[in-house]
Amino acid sequence: MTRDWRPGASDPSVSAIARTETLLVALDFDGTASELVADPMAARAIPEVKKALAELAALPHTTVAFISGRSLVHLREIAEHHDDSPIVLAGSHGAQYWYPGESEADAEAGDPDRMLRDALLDELAPLLTNYPGVELESKTFGIGIHGRPASAEVEREAFTAVDEVFARRARHWRRRTGDRILEYSSRDEGKDTAIAVLREHTGATGILFAGDDVTDEDALRVLTADDLGVRVGPGETAATLRVESPQQIAELLEVIASERATRPA
């Protein structure tokens, strides 16, 4: 049963995750760390979230991560992420990773569908000019179609046209939908994969994961009783808690950082 979290209210699940021995705080980016914006590459984490994550990342036995459907190169750009950042990144729904102090492996080099992706981009680019406001995104392992700047009717028509192309040329690719986005990927990893990989990599005894969209439910559904799932905004969810906005995510993270900073050693 999902319950609403309100600033100032004590919650035993929040206190429990704050005091776990080894904590992983993992957030989706768009709509969770950042506001949703029309231009996908204009997204930036709100200042309150950035501050709370910096406080958490500075605490012992605490790791902070972003888990996103974005390609790693784009995730690094919108997260304003530099080589000396303490924040872990999982891009492409868990097919790509960046860890502090380690270089990224060239995951794209062995992708057998790389040439197909490029051919699909070549076909889709002129097709989508017929749908004003619909934007095409090239991803490391796939293609994203953004409908946010378009009308709902134009978005539906564009998504139908794109589906027809993939049914003809790349039926084996994984199809995902989200908040005004359609995505096809040559890889099958989901955010549940990222949770498993990061749990093992960090040795986390507890994970807080927060997200706002359909693909985030993959991660929320695999959390354990020692973890805490948070849904941002409306929608059916497997999360334990629900907050209204990225601003409330920041407030929740501040509570966790404060409690964790004072926990017994």
Side-chain angles (χ1 to χ4, degrees):
M1 182 71 175
T2 305
R3 58 183 184 274
D4 293 339
W5 180 83
R6 292 288 180 263
S10 63
D11 190 292
S13 62
V14 173
S15 295
I17 201 68
R19 296 178 182 276
T20 193
E21 182 178 351
T22 304
L23 174 63
L24 169 64
V25 175
L27 305 182
D28 170 50
F29 195 88
D30 296 275
T32 302
S34 75
E35 302 284 2
L36 292 172
V37 293
D39 177 3
M41 293 310 298
R44 294 293 184 272
I46 65 171
E48 298 91 338
V49 166
K50 291 174 68 174
K51 177 177 179 292
L53 291 179
E55 291 174 1
L56 284 161
L59 294 174
H61 309 295
T62 306
T63 301
V64 172
F66 288 124
I67 300 177
S68 174
R70 302 267 198 154
S71 295
L72 194 58
V73 62
H74 292 157
L75 180 57
R76 292 198 73 187
E77 180 177 343
I78 63 174
E80 300 172 290
H81 187 270
H82 304 290
D83 288 345
D84 60 353
S85 173
I87 296 178
V88 176
L89 301 180
S92 299
H93 299 280
Q96 295 178 288
Y97 296 90
W98 187 98
Y99 297 109
E102 301 178 20
S103 60
E104 177 206 354
D106 186 6
E108 188 179 7
D111 181 14
D113 281 340
R114 187 175 182 177
M115 292 181 64
L116 176 57
R117 181 204 61 184
D118 292 344
L120 286 163
L121 286 168
D122 288 343
E123 179 172 347
L124 290 172
L127 173 67
L128 291 178
T129 61
N130 298 316
Y131 305 96
V134 174
E135 297 180 356
L136 177 66
E137 178 188 2
S138 173
K139 292 173 171 272
T140 302
F141 297 112
I143 292 171
I145 313 297
H146 296 270
R148 189 171 301 280
S151 69
E153 181 179 0
V154 168
E155 177 190 276
R156 285 193 299 271
E157 292 174 352
F159 286 5
T160 297
V162 170
D163 282 337
E164 290 171 354
V165 171
F166 276 88
R168 174 167 44 84
R169 301 197 59 180
R171 189 180 294 272
H172 60 292
W173 281 27
R174 179 170 176 175
R175 183 183 190 272
R176 293 184 178 92
T177 58
D179 186 1
R180 307 206 67 179
I181 182 172
L182 170 65
E183 179 182 346
Y184 278 91
S185 176
S186 62
R187 299 283 290 260
D188 197 48
E189 291 93 344
K191 293 184 181 181
D192 51 337
T193 302
I195 290 291
V197 169
L198 295 184
R199 191 191 299 277
E200 180 176 0
H201 186 88
T202 63
T205 55
I207 297 175
L208 180 147
F209 176 76
D212 74 309
D213 210 347
V214 176
T215 57
D216 298 312
E217 293 299 318
D218 290 342
L220 290 167
R221 281 190 292 268
V222 299
L223 297 180
T224 73
D226 294 322
D227 304 326
L228 178 60
V230 183
R231 172 79 179 209
V232 183
E236 187 175 341
T237 185
T240 299
L241 299 181
R242 187 189 305 274
V243 300
E244 295 177 354
S245 64
Q247 286 76 18
Q248 280 200 349
I249 278 290
E251 292 173 306
L252 176 60
L253 295 178
E254 286 283 1
V255 169
I256 292 170
S258 178
E259 288 200 28
R260 189 159 182 79
T262 60
R263 76 186 181 107

